[in-house]
C-alpha cells in the first residue's frame, strides 16, 4: 500500500483488490458443497439405465438429452453448483423418463425440487385429454402460408405433444392455440359424421 501510495496508483490497487475479493466470493458461492455433489451423484446414477431418446434438431438446434445431462454431471463433478434452471431441466428429464427410473420421488427429492415446481413438471389433465383426442386425427389440413409464417396444424400438435411428454409447462398462449385447434378438428369430424 505504501509503495502504491508513493508511486501514485493507490486507487487502482484498491479497485483491483476489491475486484479480486468479489471474484473470490463469486467462486465460493458457485462452488457445490460435498453434500450437493453426493446428492446429485445419486440422481445421476439413477439415470444410468435410461434408454435415451434420439437427438432432435429443431430450428437449426440439436437437442440431445443424454449429452446435456452428461455436461451437467461434469459440471457437478468439477465442483460447480447447479443453477435453478439446470435443476429444472434435470427434473423435466426425470418426468420424461419416469417409466425407466426406479425411484422417481427420490430423484425429485435429490434435486431439491419443491412441491410447486413438481406441479410445474406434472402433466395438465385437460391438455392430456385434448392431446389424446387429437391423436385420433387421421386427416390434417394442408400447411398454409400467411406472410412469412407457415401454419402446420400437425407440426404444432406434435410439438405440443412432445413438450407435454417432456413435462414442460405450456404457456397460456400454447394452451389457447391447442384448444382452438382441437375445436377446429372437432367441428370437422362432426360434419363428416
Amino acid at each position: 500500500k505504501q509503495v502504491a501510495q508513493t508511486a501514485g496508483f493507490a486507487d487502482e490497487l484498491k479497485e483491483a483488490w476489491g475486484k479480486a475479493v468479489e471474484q473470490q466470493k463469486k467462486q465460493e458461492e458457485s462452488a457445490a458443497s460435498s453434500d450437493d455433489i453426493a446428492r446429485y451423484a445419486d440422481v445421476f446414477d439413477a439415470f444410468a439405465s435410461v434408454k435415451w431418446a434420439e437427438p432432435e434438431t429443431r430450428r437449426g438446434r440439436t437437442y440431445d438429452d443424454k449429452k446435456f445431462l452428461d455436461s451437467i454431471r461434469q459440471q457437478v463433478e468439477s465442483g460447480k453448483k447447479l443453477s435453478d434452471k439446470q435443476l429444472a431441466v434435470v427434473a423435466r428429464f426425470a418426468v420424461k423418463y419416469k417409466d425407466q427410473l426406479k425411484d422417481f420421488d427420490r430423484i425429485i427429492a435429490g434435486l431439491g425440487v419443491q412441491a410447486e415446481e413438481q406441479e410445474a413438471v406434472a402433466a395438465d389433465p385437460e391438455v392430456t385429454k385434448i392431446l389424446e383426442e387429437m391423436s385420433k386425427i387421421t386427416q390434417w389440413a394442408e400447411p398454409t402460408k400467411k406472410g412469412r409464417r407457415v401454419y402446420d396444424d400437425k407440426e404444432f400438435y406434435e410439438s405440443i405433444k412432445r413438450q407435454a411428454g417432456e413435462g414442460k409447462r405450456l404457456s397460456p398462449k400454447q394452451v389457447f392455440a391447442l384448444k382452438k385447434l382441437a375445436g377446429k378438428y372437432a367441428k370437422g369430424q362432426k360434419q363428416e359424421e
Side-chain angles (χ1 to χ4, degrees):
K1 287 181 180 179
Q2 289 176 344
V3 172
Q5 188 69 39
T6 305
F9 62 90
D11 290 342
E12 289 86 355
L13 177 64
K14 185 177 179 180
E15 185 180 330
W17 182 258
K19 286 181 181 178
V21 168
E22 188 64 33
Q23 182 66 26
Q24 180 67 29
K25 283 182 185 177
K26 284 181 182 177
Q27 286 177 346
E28 288 171 4
E29 288 171 2
S30 68
S33 69
S34 57
D35 289 342
D36 286 342
I37 293 171
R39 188 165 41 101
Y40 296 148
D42 187 41
V43 169
F44 293 129
D45 288 346
F47 282 96
S49 62
V50 167
K51 183 176 182 325
W52 296 95
E54 289 295 317
E56 288 182 38
T57 302
R58 297 188 305 268
R59 296 185 183 174
R61 291 187 65 184
T62 300
Y63 295 88
D64 186 335
D65 296 349
K66 183 180 184 330
K67 187 176 179 181
F68 185 82
L69 191 75
D70 287 345
S71 74
I72 290 178
R73 179 195 297 254
Q74 289 171 355
Q75 181 178 331
V76 169
E77 289 172 352
S78 70
K80 293 181 183 170
K81 200 175 197 176
L82 296 180
S83 71
D84 291 341
K85 285 185 178 181
Q86 289 171 317
L87 290 171
V89 170
V90 177
R92 282 200 305 266
F93 286 168
V95 170
K96 182 177 181 179
Y97 297 102
K98 185 177 183 176
D99 296 340
Q100 298 182 53
L101 299 172
K102 291 181 182 173
D103 193 354
F104 174 76
D105 293 331
R106 183 177 54 80
I107 293 168
I108 292 295
L111 291 168
V113 177
Q114 301 302 318
E116 307 84 48
E117 293 164 320
Q118 288 182 38
E119 288 174 18
V121 297
D124 178 341
E126 182 181 17
V127 169
T128 303
K129 184 178 177 185
I130 292 170
L131 291 172
E132 190 176 304
E133 287 298 315
M134 292 184 73
S135 70
K136 299 171 187 170
I137 296 172
T138 55
Q139 291 266 203
W140 292 93
E142 288 294 317
T144 58
K145 187 172 182 177
K146 294 181 183 174
R148 286 190 253 164
R149 297 191 73 174
V150 175
Y151 294 89
D152 186 334
D153 294 348
K154 185 177 181 185
E155 186 179 300
F156 176 75
Y157 158 75
E158 289 174 348
S159 171
I160 296 295
K161 184 179 177 184
R162 181 183 61 251
Q163 289 178 53
E166 292 173 358
K168 294 180 182 175
R169 175 171 261 169
L170 302 177
S171 73
K173 283 183 178 181
Q174 287 175 310
V175 173
F176 176 77
L178 181 65
K179 287 179 181 179
K180 187 175 174 183
L181 185 64
K184 172 183 168 182
Y185 282 91
K187 288 176 187 175
Q189 287 177 348
K190 286 177 186 173
Q191 290 171 357
E192 289 173 13
E193 295 170 357

